[in-house]
Amino acid sequence: MGILEEMAVFFDPEDLIAEFEAMTRDAERVQKETLKRILEENGGTEYLKKWGLLGKTDQESFKACIPLVTHEDLEPYINRIVDGDDSPILTGKPITTISLSSGTTRGMPKFVPFNDELMESTMQIYKTSYSFRNREFPVGNGKCLQFIYGSRQFKTKGGLAAGTATTNVYRNPLFKKTMKAMQTPCCSPDEVIFGPDFHQSLYCHLLCGLILREEVQVISSTFAHSIVHAFRTFEQFWEELCTDIREGVLSSRISVPSIRTAMSKLLKPNPELADLIYKKCQGLSNWYGLIPELFPNTRYIYGIMTGSMEPYLTKLRHYAGVLPLLSADYGSSEGWIGANVNPKLPPESATFAVLPNIGYFEFIPLHQTLDGLEAKPVGLTEVKVGEDYEVVVTSFAGLYRYRLGDVVKVKGFHNSTPELQFICRRNLLLTINIDKNTEKDLQLAVEAASQVLAENMLEVVDFTSRVDSSTEPGHYVIFWEMSGDASDDILEQCCNCLDKSFLDAGYVSSRKVKAIGALELRIVKRGTFHKILDHYVGLGAAVSQFKTPRCVGPSNTRVLQILCNNVVKSYFSTAF
Ligand code: AMP
């Protein structure tokens, strides 16, 4: 990298904070200008012309002309881009890269446009939260053990590069330079990050971290699930990892030649290190505090820990011991939204300050109007503290008034930009008749029921759900993978507790009059959720972006099949 390029990414965290403060003090004006820039750059597109915007760039005309849309509405346009039509369809400049969003909710990845502007805003978000984090938790020149994985990249029919958003980011040279500017480059070589088999990559990430154990200052991943997954894997393979370090020879389990070559440059026989790690592992009780034992100079653990990642926090805290958990920013393949500028808050109360210059944001209030209609969206600076909203994004990458489908709560303001708490995906997870239960409701029910397990030193490794309408009446089915065996008695208690913990009035009343049948708890074999992860990875999803689907719809036949084929026991609630 030339010195000029290096200087271009170098930044002073205090300057960055000053810019952020200035921008958020003036959020309303910045939003107006951001919309103007987006519409100036893209005014000539087929999409904006179709809606008769006629080159106007003000908020009022924009809202009057352009409808609120979902991904489905934009699919015909996106598909043409994917198929190689490079006329200005959604963006003035042609889109050359496509992101595959995780699509865990509907079982299939969906395509969204990716471009340089998205890459830049990603780095802006990373740098902003880093600057605030660095004030409270400074890191020196060290390394970051990053459990990140590039997914398969391929060319679309129309010749565009397609990969998951995280892969598009990791592959971009700006990413590496920014990580370097943040003083914590990744421990692992590219061959490991972009290896074709994530099991092998994960093994080598662990090995690289162990070799550089003294230098590791941060442990991170995009979503916290990957960190928990990594250390669960460590529990399985630690002895083999020690052998590799002792002998300086990579396990034969690693078969990808490029990974073997890259790792052979790092791996030298080191019996002292192997003995040390071995002893540390043997000295731990049930792996509590594993991370600081292995990596003594770690300052914190970093990754998205909110929303569907919350269920992994107990396990993560167990591995982390005394180390702080710092929740990462809020965004999506469609674009970034907010940075965590209060890194000291525990993940359960983490908030995200919206960056007013990376997109134009609107918020649909979740409460209905008096006539029962959906309320009109409000602007970024018009939201009210304590209220819940669905996020609507207008981006530099061709999305206009796009409903992201996420529900957020406004917790406060940072200057004049709101600080959002992520609540859940808007689509209902579980509903049979008048009952309405979201991902969050399911999570709370599982949390309550797993208390019963905790008393017995057991935990829920992962979970999901479905509505079974093949019975009359229909009922909820909850699938659990557990860390060990529990007695029938305990599981019956858990099942009743789950049923009682859905507090939604529609559910409770329907259960009472038997309009919804008894909740069913199905226990699946160990490793079932790994199979689900493998299935999504096979579809082109990235491990880095993986979120366990918390509800499996009837169209998601393969995942349903995996679950149903692995059920070992099932229980029906007797709570009502
Ligand atoms: P993807 O489309 O795979 O990029 O996933 C994006 C989705 O992940 C968002 O729409 C959110 O539902 C979820 N997500 C992203 N960041 C966070 C966060 N910080 N907290 C909770 N959920 C998040």
Side-chain angles (χ1 to χ4, degrees):
M1 179 167 42
I3 188 98
L4 282 178
E5 267 176 291
E6 189 137 2
M7 278 168 64
V9 285
F10 175 79
F11 63 97
D12 178 342
E14 288 306 316
D15 288 350
L16 211 108
I17 290 178
E19 273 168 38
F20 175 79
E21 296 296 352
M23 183 170 68
T24 51
R25 269 196 290 272
D26 214 1
E28 196 181 337
R29 190 184 56 78
V30 177
Q31 275 285 275
K32 240 188 229 168
E33 276 174 12
T34 304
L35 179 66
K36 187 162 172 271
R37 272 182 50 214
I38 294 176
L39 298 180
E40 276 168 2
E41 279 178 27
N42 302 299
T45 55
E46 177 183 326
Y47 188 77
L48 292 181
K49 285 209 291 218
K50 171 186 163 183
W51 293 109
L53 199 58
L54 302 171
K56 285 186 243 141
T57 59
D58 62 292
Q59 300 181 84
E60 292 67 32
S61 311
F62 177 65
K63 289 188 193 174
C65 296
I66 309 295
L68 292 167
V69 290
T70 62
H71 186 271
E72 240 180 352
D73 299 315
L74 291 187
E75 228 161 22
Y77 298 92
I78 297 176
N79 287 345
R80 279 172 49 208
I81 298 173
V82 169
D83 289 345
D85 184 342
D86 62 358
S87 63
I89 299 175
L90 291 173
T91 50
K93 271 188 272 168
I95 294 286
T96 55
T97 309
I98 290 288
S99 286
L100 280 158
S101 115
S102 56
T104 15
T105 26
R106 69 169 192 178
M108 274 304 285
K110 53 182 187 196
F111 291 133
V112 291
F114 184 85
N115 62 8
D116 289 347
E117 278 88 347
L118 272 192
M119 185 65 205
E120 271 159 34
S121 55
T122 305
M123 293 308 112
Q124 193 195 341
I125 283 263
Y126 282 11
K127 289 194 280 192
T128 305
S129 56
Y130 165 80
S131 302
F132 281 92
R133 208 157 63 237
N134 207 46
R135 267 188 177 172
E136 314 280 358
F137 304 93
V139 288
N141 267 322
K143 288 267 180 347
C144 179
L145 171 53
Q146 269 182 307
F147 294 102
I148 56 176
Y149 309 87
S151 62
R152 216 158 29 92
Q153 264 194 327
F154 59 94
K155 287 260 183 263
T156 68
K157 204 168 92 190
L160 277 73
T164 50
T166 41
T167 307
N168 293 335
V169 170
Y170 304 150
R171 283 208 183 270
N172 194 303
L174 203 56
F175 173 69
K176 225 185 238 163
K177 292 178 200 164
T178 309
M179 288 312 291
K180 208 167 163 201
M182 291 184 196
Q183 301 176 297
T184 46
C186 184
C187 288
S188 311
D190 278 0
E191 290 80 355
V192 170
I193 300 173
F194 298 109
D197 174 325
F198 95 88
H199 300 283
Q200 298 191 25
S201 294
L202 166 52
Y203 186 92
C204 293
H205 275 317
L206 287 167
L207 199 52
C208 292
L210 292 172
I211 295 169
L212 300 168
R213 70 186 283 274
E214 300 273 344
E215 288 175 57
V216 171
Q217 296 203 2
V218 178
I219 311 269
S220 83
S221 68
T222 309
F223 286 99
H225 170 266
S226 302
I227 307 179
V228 170
H229 181 75
F231 288 100
R232 282 193 199 278
T233 308
F234 180 86
E235 284 187 33
Q236 256 181 304
F237 294 111
W238 67 282
E239 285 171 300
E240 203 172 319
L241 288 159
C242 286
T243 308
D244 289 7
I245 295 172
R246 183 182 318 281
E247 294 169 1
V249 180
L250 190 59
S251 157
S252 59
R253 136 184 346 273
I254 309 304
S255 59
V256 177
S258 58
I259 301 188
R260 291 199 71 88
T261 312
M263 289 302 293
S264 69
K265 292 185 192 136
L266 303 172
L267 199 58
K268 301 279 169 306
N270 191 342
E272 295 78 33
L273 179 61
D275 285 344
L276 182 78
I277 297 169
Y278 201 93
K279 247 184 39 221
K280 287 195 175 287
C281 290
Q282 277 190 321
L284 289 172
S285 155
N286 195 23
W287 304 102
Y288 177 81
L290 172 63
I291 296 177
E293 278 300 315
L294 293 180
F295 309 105
N297 298 316
T298 310
R299 310 298 282 266
Y300 55 83
I301 311 216
Y302 185 64
I304 293 175
M305 298 176 186
T306 35
S308 60
M309 295 298 127
E310 272 180 44
Y312 307 110
L313 284 175
T314 312
K315 191 67 182 176
L316 191 55
R317 288 206 165 96
H318 183 83
Y319 287 135
V322 294
L323 288 172
L325 304 186
L326 274 54
S327 200
D329 311 313
Y330 171 36
S332 67
S333 309
E334 287 88 343
W336 284 92
I337 295 153
N340 179 358
V341 299
N342 300 307
K344 276 190 155 164
L345 288 177
E348 287 82 351
S349 35
T351 57
F352 309 100
V354 180
L355 267 68
N357 70 338
I358 59 176
Y360 181 73
F361 300 99
E362 293 171 80
F363 296 85
I364 305 175
L366 281 206
H367 64 80
Q368 293 184 336
T369 57
L370 288 178
D371 44 10
L373 297 174
E374 190 170 74
K376 283 216 161 56
V378 298
L380 180 71
T381 52
E382 293 165 342
V383 294
K384 294 203 171 65
V385 175
E387 294 278 317
D388 289 354
Y389 298 90
E390 181 186 341
V391 181
V392 175
V393 182
T394 295
S395 76
F396 283 96
L399 305 178
Y400 307 95
R401 308 197 84 200
Y402 175 99
R403 298 176 78 138
L404 200 56
D406 286 345
V407 176
V408 295
K409 188 187 278 304
V410 177
K411 294 299 277 186
F413 280 86
H414 185 100
N415 297 321
S416 60
T417 202
E419 292 189 327
L420 310 174
Q421 182 176 36
F422 182 88
I423 302 292
C424 60
R425 302 281 306 164
R426 180 159 188 180
N427 44 359
L428 286 180
L429 272 186
L430 293 165
T431 176
I432 291 177
N433 48 51
I434 54 164
D435 52 314
K436 289 186 175 63
N437 280 302
T438 63
E439 185 177 335
K440 187 81 189 175
D441 300 315
L442 172 67
Q443 185 192 316
L444 292 174
V446 170
E447 246 168 49
S450 36
Q451 295 297 324
V452 182
L453 287 183
E455 291 158 18
N456 295 278
M457 302 295 286
L458 287 166
E459 60 191 280
V460 177
V461 173
D462 223 328
F463 63 94
T464 188
S465 68
R466 69 177 283 224
V467 161
D468 184 351
S469 346
S470 67
T471 54
E472 186 52 52
H475 67 285
Y476 290 5
V477 181
I478 314 291
F479 296 89
W480 269 11
E481 179 176 325
M482 298 198 314
S483 59
D485 294 330
S487 67
D488 287 341
D489 184 39
I490 292 174
L491 290 170
E492 276 158 17
Q493 280 180 51
C494 290
C495 183
N496 288 348
C497 182
L498 278 170
D499 204 6
K500 281 279 183 197
S501 301
F502 286 103
L503 300 177
D504 158 62
Y507 184 74
V508 177
S509 58
S510 297
R511 282 288 289 123
K512 280 189 182 147
V513 298
K514 308 259 181 292
I516 293 181
L519 179 143
E520 185 181 355
L521 170 63
R522 293 193 193 168
I523 307 299
V524 294
K525 276 188 214 141
R526 286 302 307 266
T528 302
F529 281 84
H530 263 174
K531 289 187 189 153
I532 294 176
L533 170 65
D534 283 339
H535 161 71
Y536 279 106
V537 171
L539 286 180
V543 184
S544 291
Q545 256 171 278
F546 181 71
K547 305 167 209 66
T548 298
R550 295 295 181 210
C551 181
V552 184
S555 60
N556 204 346
T557 43
R558 183 63 198 126
V559 172
L560 266 184
Q561 209 177 20
I562 297 173
L563 286 166
C564 295
N565 289 347
N566 284 284
V567 173
V568 282
K569 279 183 193 168
S570 115
Y571 302 86
F572 282 93
S573 156
T574 50
F576 285 89

